[in-house]
Amino acid sequence: MSQELRQRSGATTTVSNEVDDLVLRSDSGLSASSMMAASPSQSGKVMKLHVPALYSLCPAFIQRLLLSWNFLSFLAPTWKERHLILIGDFLYKFNQENSSLPKGTPFSIETIESRVCSNNAKYTDERDFALNHLPPGYQAVFIVSTLRRRHYYAVSSREECSTWVQSLADARQEKIKRSMGHAGNMPYPRSWEYFDSRGRSLLKSKERIKAKIEETHVKEMEMTNFAEGGPMPRGYYG
């Protein structure tokens, strides 16, 4: 967690409580502005690497063609602006710093790992593109790895890159300490508890929607198989 949070005590806790009250009274949900008012551990504008699925499936020489032909640029990887906010138990992604809702599902700090993207890392098409096609004004990339995939974020300097990686690692460690009851007397802002609660609710909602979509997809596949003369769908008894 950030150095600022580690130094909270005494009088600073009173100031923190005043900020918490303001955030909680605003009832602004998970907006970027309400999180920024609660003094997050880390925040800032980044560029996220978006890699189309088709590009990842293409052999290397086809990928080079996609990068060189402008009329096929829509099939090539692109950088998209995002605003990241690390607060409490989650890393939130926003389209802009004044967005009213997060973009996609927030990352639970407990389930992610972060590191600086370098040439010493294991080779991947995404890593290669990220390091060799940085957007103008950006000098470094860090990776946030979840259970399913890696996310690449470009930042303006190597120092900012290292700060993000360290802040994410510190937040994860602090979360583990709190879960084990080893947080000691370190204060935890009430506004952060509020955002944690809303973040967990959003995460569960996204997971339910995804599970429903996957269930529907399985049923469609089973019905298609049945229509083509395959085995009867599960749950069918004639």
Side-chain angles (χ1 to χ4, degrees):
M1 199 164 287
S2 65
Q3 186 68 24
E4 176 182 337
L5 178 59
R6 292 181 183 278
Q7 295 176 346
R8 291 174 182 261
S9 62
T12 58
T13 301
T14 301
V15 175
S16 175
N17 288 338
E18 293 176 355
V19 173
D20 292 344
D21 291 338
L22 177 62
V23 172
L24 295 174
R25 286 199 303 269
S26 68
D27 193 26
S28 50
L30 289 172
S31 68
S33 59
S34 63
M35 291 184 188
M36 292 303 297
S39 300
S41 298
Q42 182 71 17
S43 65
K45 186 181 79 170
V46 301
M47 298 295 284
K48 180 184 185 299
L49 181 63
H50 171 72
V51 182
L54 182 60
Y55 178 88
S56 300
L57 298 175
C58 293
F61 76 95
I62 295 296
Q63 292 180 353
R64 288 193 292 269
L65 291 177
L66 294 176
L67 294 175
S68 61
W69 292 349
N70 290 333
F71 70 94
L72 291 177
S73 60
F74 66 95
L75 295 174
T78 55
W79 292 100
K80 296 186 177 182
E81 183 177 326
R82 292 288 184 266
H83 190 81
L84 298 183
I85 299 180
L86 171 61
I87 184 168
D89 294 344
F90 293 93
L91 174 65
Y92 297 89
K93 303 153 287 180
F94 294 88
N95 282 331
Q96 299 174 332
E97 61 181 346
N98 59 353
S99 295
S100 59
L101 290 172
K103 171 73 174 178
T105 304
F107 295 147
S108 174
I109 289 298
E110 287 183 293
T111 62
I112 65 173
E113 294 182 355
S114 59
R115 67 181 187 276
V116 175
C117 183
S118 68
N119 287 319
N120 295 327
K122 183 179 179 180
Y123 177 85
T124 65
D125 294 335
E126 293 88 351
R127 189 227 64 182
D128 183 59
F129 181 92
L131 292 177
N132 291 290
H133 299 85
L134 283 168
Y138 289 77
Q139 299 181 0
V141 177
F142 68 94
I143 304 172
V144 175
S145 299
T146 65
L147 295 176
R148 300 190 178 188
R149 58 176 297 188
R150 290 183 295 271
H151 304 263
Y152 294 79
Y153 296 102
V155 290
S156 59
S157 68
R158 292 179 175 82
E159 291 77 13
E160 184 180 1
C161 184
S162 297
T163 298
W164 266 112
V165 172
Q166 188 61 53
S167 295
L168 289 166
D170 288 347
R172 187 170 187 267
Q173 186 63 32
E174 294 296 339
K175 169 59 178 176
I176 293 174
K177 287 182 179 179
R178 290 196 304 274
S179 299
M180 299 176 64
H182 297 163
N185 296 323
M186 182 178 295
Y188 194 74
R190 288 191 300 126
S191 57
W192 289 25
E193 293 178 353
Y194 166 77
F195 289 126
D196 287 348
S197 175
R198 296 298 298 268
R200 285 190 293 270
S201 296
L202 178 60
L203 185 60
K204 290 179 181 178
S205 176
K206 296 284 187 179
E207 289 175 347
R208 286 195 298 268
I209 293 173
K210 186 171 184 178
K212 190 65 176 178
I213 293 174
E214 291 177 349
E215 180 183 352
T216 301
H217 178 68
V218 170
K219 289 181 179 179
E220 290 176 350
M221 293 290 291
E222 290 178 341
M223 292 306 297
T224 299
N225 187 40
F226 174 62
E228 294 175 352
M232 291 184 178
R234 292 177 297 177
Y236 181 81
Y237 299 100

